[in-house]
Amino acid sequence: MRNQMLFFLLNGAGTLMLETVWLKRQMILLGTTPDSYGSILFAYFLGIALGSWYYRNKQGLNMPRYRFYLLFLCSLLLSAIVPTVVFNLAPDPFHLAYTSRLNHALHSLYRWSVTMICVVPPCFFLGAFFPLVSLTVNKSAFVLLYALQALGAAVGLYLGSFLIPFHFGYPATFCAGFAVMLISLLFFDKTDVPRSTGDAARTNVALRPLVVAFFCGFLALTMQVVWIRFASISTDNSIYACGGVSLIVIGLIAFSSFVTSRLPESWFKQPFMLHAILFLSLVFVIVSVRIFVSSTDNMKIVAFPNSFGLFKALTKTTPLIVAGYFFPAFILPFVIRSLKSNRARIARGPGKHVHVDQYDIGRLLFANAIGCAVGSILTSFVLLPGVGLWTTTMTAMFGYALFPFLIDRINLRHITVPVGVILILIFNPMRFPLSTVSSSSPGASDSPDEIIAIKEGKYGIVTVVNNTRAMRCLWLNNNYLLD
């Protein structure tokens, strides 16, 4: 167990250090937009989902350890070599990409494909570790390992986003993450995992937990992309917005998983606790958005002149995310511990078998990761550019309000669901402005400018105003002024 704890701690740190490098590359290609961090999140969770599914259903348990490690290391090298080679040899194979819709589509597809090649293969093998280890530990210990992996991820995200790149650059960050991943493999002994014997190692998970896991990931990533958008607006589209939001989210996952692993088994025999967590998730998502609107004085965001201003802007988003994700972070650990175990007969060696209490964590993580991937890509490419920030936020709120219908039948949901819907209608995020500008004229009176029009796109919020000097100008994200 000690080796497994060290493995998941280091594995989480190395993974997120590499993810920050992937994200930086994507931001260079696409800018600091929902497209960039949405595509990275999509590729990351797609790889995790495929790995979880394959190593649960395709008998990956029987693969020799050396071959498993070799394929994993090759995938990591692929993620380092491909972008360097491709973008040095052919930075833009579709010249004049924006002269036609076809060229623009091919150009976007080209960059998207490179991102998928870099991120999906290593994440595929990362998705294998949890299904393999789930055969050797009970549910409480598994949730503890999940917490340690999240704790390591938080440390890796801090090192990869705020510390190592600032002092040594992103190539050094990738090398450090690669080294940590290599060290972590020393503590993962695949020979401790029982070998599969046909279908003997398979269990069946009821459809309801899989649906809950899917929508848990879907709503969590929808709100995470929204929170990144909030942070990006308040920090002038800084690269630290995504890292800061993700750091807080992963830290809360580590905390919630650790607490859940220590709770008594009686808490998971009835759906009441999970139902309460879902209702509180809705309440605190509402509270989180209210905190942001209040802390920015109705989206009246002032540009910051130095690094202290950047830190101040980031601290404004911290209470927002802590409040909004505190209870949603408990949903998946509670679902895992609520799974029913099946007695399975699996092989320990030639002629030796053992019966273990088994639960199909592979399918559950697959459903959750697919939900995360769909939520990130749908929010980044469809909802935010298409219907805007507040409509997307309201959609996620209604998702949490109706979530109780997915868990076991309980009469309490006939009360909490209507109450949740009423709270959303009372709060009504649609009434919040996208822009609240004050006087943009230096030395002028404090009378506000007249807002002529507001349009929201994937690059931010553009406001057309008439200022006090009778001039028409543009505000981008309530910060950049173009006369």
Side-chain angles (χ1 to χ4, degrees):
M1 183 66 177
R2 181 179 299 177
N3 282 350
Q4 291 172 337
M5 295 172 68
L6 288 172
F7 166 76
F8 280 106
L9 186 66
L10 294 173
N11 177 268
T15 301
L16 266 293
M17 291 169 71
L18 296 178
E19 186 182 355
T20 58
V21 179
W22 298 330
L23 178 61
K24 177 64 175 179
R25 168 64 67 175
Q26 191 70 351
M27 286 182 171
I28 292 174
L29 298 177
L30 301 176
T32 309
T33 68
D35 289 4
S36 56
Y37 44 79
S39 60
I40 288 294
L41 290 172
F42 173 77
Y44 175 81
F45 286 110
L46 178 63
I48 295 291
L50 295 176
S52 298
W53 183 264
Y54 180 87
Y55 281 93
R56 183 64 198 96
N57 287 329
K58 295 297 183 181
Q59 309 308 319
L61 301 177
N62 293 325
M63 181 183 293
R65 183 173 59 172
Y66 76 89
R67 187 183 301 174
F68 179 85
Y69 287 173
L70 182 61
L71 290 173
F72 183 44
L73 294 177
C74 288
S75 69
L76 289 175
L77 290 173
L78 183 71
S79 70
I81 295 173
V82 167
T84 303
V85 173
V86 169
F87 290 114
N88 284 335
L89 296 179
D92 188 1
F94 305 101
H95 299 290
L96 303 176
Y98 295 95
T99 58
S100 70
R101 290 186 178 181
L102 177 60
N103 276 354
H104 177 64
L106 293 174
H107 183 79
S108 300
L109 179 62
Y110 169 71
R111 294 176 181 270
W112 175 269
S113 299
V114 173
T115 301
M116 295 299 107
I117 293 173
C118 293
V119 180
V120 172
C123 291
F124 173 85
F125 292 98
L126 293 174
F129 293 123
F130 276 124
L132 294 176
V133 172
S134 67
L135 295 174
T136 66
V137 298
N138 58 33
K139 288 177 290 186
S140 177
F142 178 84
V143 174
L144 176 60
L145 294 176
Y146 189 77
L148 288 172
Q149 204 260 1
L151 178 62
V155 174
L157 188 58
Y158 173 76
L159 295 174
S161 297
F162 299 98
L163 191 61
I164 299 178
F166 179 78
H167 293 286
F168 305 103
Y170 281 94
T173 305
F174 183 89
C175 292
F178 190 88
V180 172
M181 295 297 291
L182 287 178
I183 296 172
S184 71
L185 292 178
L186 298 177
F187 298 98
F188 183 77
D189 188 359
K190 193 169 176 286
T191 58
D192 289 340
V193 180
R195 293 185 301 164
S196 171
T197 56
D199 289 337
R202 297 188 183 183
T203 57
N204 293 319
V205 176
L207 179 62
R208 194 184 299 272
L210 297 179
V211 174
V212 171
F214 174 86
F215 279 100
C216 166
F218 177 84
L219 293 175
L221 264 293
T222 297
M223 284 307 304
Q224 183 172 340
V225 173
V226 168
W227 289 324
I228 293 174
R229 180 59 169 257
F230 279 134
S232 297
I233 291 173
S234 62
T235 59
D236 285 353
N237 280 336
S238 169
I239 189 175
Y240 295 112
C242 183
V245 171
S246 300
L247 180 62
I248 298 169
V249 168
I250 293 172
L252 289 172
I253 292 174
F255 172 79
S256 64
S257 300
F258 177 78
V259 172
T260 305
S261 70
R262 291 292 183 259
L263 294 177
E265 193 66 29
S266 59
W267 284 48
F268 308 97
K269 295 185 180 300
Q270 298 295 331
F272 171 78
M273 288 302 302
L274 181 57
H275 193 94
I277 290 173
L278 292 175
F279 180 74
L280 290 173
S281 296
L282 169 64
V283 172
F284 276 74
V285 166
I286 292 175
V287 169
S288 72
V289 178
R290 178 71 261 185
I291 289 174
F292 181 78
V293 173
S294 300
S295 64
T296 56
D297 192 14
N298 283 330
M299 304 288 285
K300 189 190 296 182
I301 303 166
V302 180
F304 46 84
N306 50 39
S307 59
F308 176 77
L310 172 63
F311 175 77
K312 185 178 180 181
L314 284 173
T315 57
K316 284 187 176 181
T317 62
T318 299
L320 152 83
I321 305 158
V322 171
Y325 200 70
F326 184 83
F327 283 100
F330 279 91
I331 298 175
L332 184 62
F334 258 76
V335 173
I336 292 175
R337 286 210 58 184
S338 300
L339 284 180
K340 295 181 179 179
S341 298
N342 295 322
R343 198 74 170 171
R345 183 174 181 265
I346 55 182
R348 277 292 187 186
K352 298 180 180 179
H353 295 80
V354 64
H355 288 85
V356 298
D357 286 330
Q358 191 185 27
Y359 47 99
D360 194 348
I361 194 62
R363 286 192 179 94
L364 197 71
L365 290 182
F366 168 78
N368 181 257
I370 287 294
C372 291
V374 173
S376 62
I377 203 69
L378 184 65
T379 306
S380 301
F381 286 84
V382 178
L383 293 178
L384 281 178
V387 299
L389 181 63
W390 297 126
T391 302
T392 303
T393 304
M394 195 169 192
T395 301
M397 290 179 181
F398 273 111
Y400 278 113
L402 301 176
F403 209 144
F405 284 117
L406 299 178
I407 63 176
D408 293 336
R409 295 184 179 276
I410 182 172
N411 293 330
L412 186 61
R413 68 184 180 186
H414 297 299
I415 300 175
T416 57
V417 171
V419 170
V421 172
I422 291 172
L423 288 176
I424 296 173
L425 295 178
I426 293 175
F427 173 73
N428 188 16
M430 301 299 296
R431 65 186 174 88
F432 293 124
L434 287 171
S435 176
T436 303
V437 295
S438 56
S439 176
S440 58
S441 303
S445 63
D446 293 332
S447 58
D449 296 338
E450 178 187 3
I451 297 178
I452 304 301
I454 298 177
K455 183 174 178 59
E456 185 179 7
K458 65 180 181 180
Y459 292 101
I461 302 168
V462 178
T463 309
V464 182
V465 299
N466 281 337
N467 62 25
T468 53
R469 294 177 295 170
M471 294 178 60
R472 182 160 294 185
C473 56
L474 297 177
W475 283 91
L476 176 62
N477 286 344
N478 302 333
N479 262 317
Y480 302 111
L481 175 64
L482 298 175
D483 288 325

